[in-house]
Amino acid sequence: MTPFGSDPEQLRNFTGHVPLFPLPDAVLFPNALLPLMIFEPRYRQMVADALAGDGLIAMALLKPGWEDSYETKSAPIRSTVCIGRIASSKLLPDGRYQIVLEGLTRAEILDEDQSSSEYRVARTELCPDMPTGLSRDERLRRQRELLVGFQQVAAGCDFDRTFHDSLDADLPLGGLCDVIAYSLPLEPEVAQSILEETDVAARSLLVLDELRNCIGSGVGRPSVFPPPYSLN
């Protein structure tokens, strides 16, 4: 994993078409790692196809009311997704997959392929971060505010070496916002609102607000990083 600076080679030949993995409670951010346990047959096939191809999967958040149509290819989803690359995978004896998805970039769904595949495939457009409009001093001050707030929230938590290396890196403001947001115990809709914000200055204010909420309420994040495997 290359912290906070996706390797452009990973998306150099990206066609815009990517399989969709809609879940009701998982929001992936660029530069974050999401462990997933894949057990539904359609998503086992999706992972197998991705591993045989470019290794890319887009995580999408299901909208409220998804329950009745979850088994179909028309369950309502948010249009902003995070495209991830399968960083590691393990095929279990019973056919399930354990994978770790590394977030690469935001993207917007333009439409979906009406293919015969068991899973959904979207045509997407990449969404790069917008310039902050902040001066260098303002940007550095915002970064310090984020790091100080996160240190307060995360005091006593157990993080692996990868996470510490990432925070110690020379982070752009947008990347710092993404990793902190991913690490906070946010409701999925709140996390999604941060994912949808491509204006880095505005995103940093959203993350600062959530840090203050966590500090004020005394609610921290889970004590283990990376998080345990999410079930599809």
Side-chain angles (χ1 to χ4, degrees):
M1 179 180 178
T2 304
F4 310 104
S6 300
D7 182 352
E9 291 297 326
Q10 297 182 91
L11 292 169
R12 181 176 297 279
N13 298 316
F14 181 57
T15 64
H17 291 81
V18 63
L20 292 175
F21 192 6
L23 288 177
D25 55 2
V27 177
L28 178 63
F29 283 87
N31 305 299
L33 296 175
L34 176 62
L36 292 162
M37 179 72 75
I38 310 298
F39 61 85
E40 288 188 45
R42 56 179 169 167
Y43 294 130
R44 293 186 197 180
Q45 186 61 53
M46 176 189 71
V47 170
D49 291 346
L51 289 171
D54 57 16
L56 300 179
I57 293 172
M59 295 300 301
L61 183 67
L62 288 161
K63 291 182 178 180
W66 55 269
E67 292 86 352
D68 290 342
S69 54
Y70 177 72
E71 301 295 338
T72 74
K73 294 169 69 175
S74 59
I77 58 175
R78 300 293 183 190
S79 61
T80 300
V81 299
C82 181
I83 296 175
R85 177 186 65 87
I86 299 175
S88 67
S89 65
K90 181 180 181 181
L91 177 60
L92 302 178
D94 61 4
R96 293 178 300 160
Y97 279 96
Q98 284 182 344
I99 68 171
V100 175
L101 206 59
E102 173 193 353
L104 298 179
T105 185
R106 290 166 169 79
E108 190 75 13
I109 296 174
L110 301 177
D111 53 43
E112 293 191 41
D113 293 350
Q114 302 304 313
S115 66
S116 59
S117 68
E118 299 177 55
Y119 53 86
R120 298 164 74 166
V121 178
R123 183 171 65 92
T124 62
E125 181 177 59
L126 302 185
C127 300
D129 283 350
M130 296 170 56
T132 65
L134 301 174
S135 69
R136 181 178 181 276
D137 286 346
E138 290 171 326
R139 190 168 61 253
L140 291 174
R141 185 163 56 250
R142 189 70 53 82
Q143 288 173 311
R144 284 195 296 270
E145 288 182 280
L146 287 162
L147 284 169
V148 168
F150 182 72
Q151 287 165 357
Q152 289 180 263
V153 171
C157 292
D158 181 21
F159 297 93
D160 77 349
R161 186 66 253 169
T162 300
F163 189 80
H164 284 292
D165 289 346
S166 297
L167 284 184
D168 289 341
D170 184 15
L171 310 183
L173 181 58
L176 180 61
C177 290
D178 287 342
V179 173
I180 289 178
Y182 180 70
S183 302
L184 294 176
L186 303 179
E187 291 296 324
E189 289 292 338
V190 175
Q192 179 69 23
S193 69
I194 295 173
L195 180 68
E196 292 173 359
E197 185 55 77
T198 57
D199 182 315
V200 172
R203 188 191 310 159
S204 68
L205 292 176
L206 291 175
V207 177
L208 276 173
D209 283 345
E210 294 306 322
L211 283 169
R212 291 172 183 137
N213 289 340
C214 288
I215 294 168
S217 64
V219 176
R221 65 169 305 282
S223 59
V224 175
F225 186 92
Y229 282 91
S230 296
L231 300 178
N232 73 290

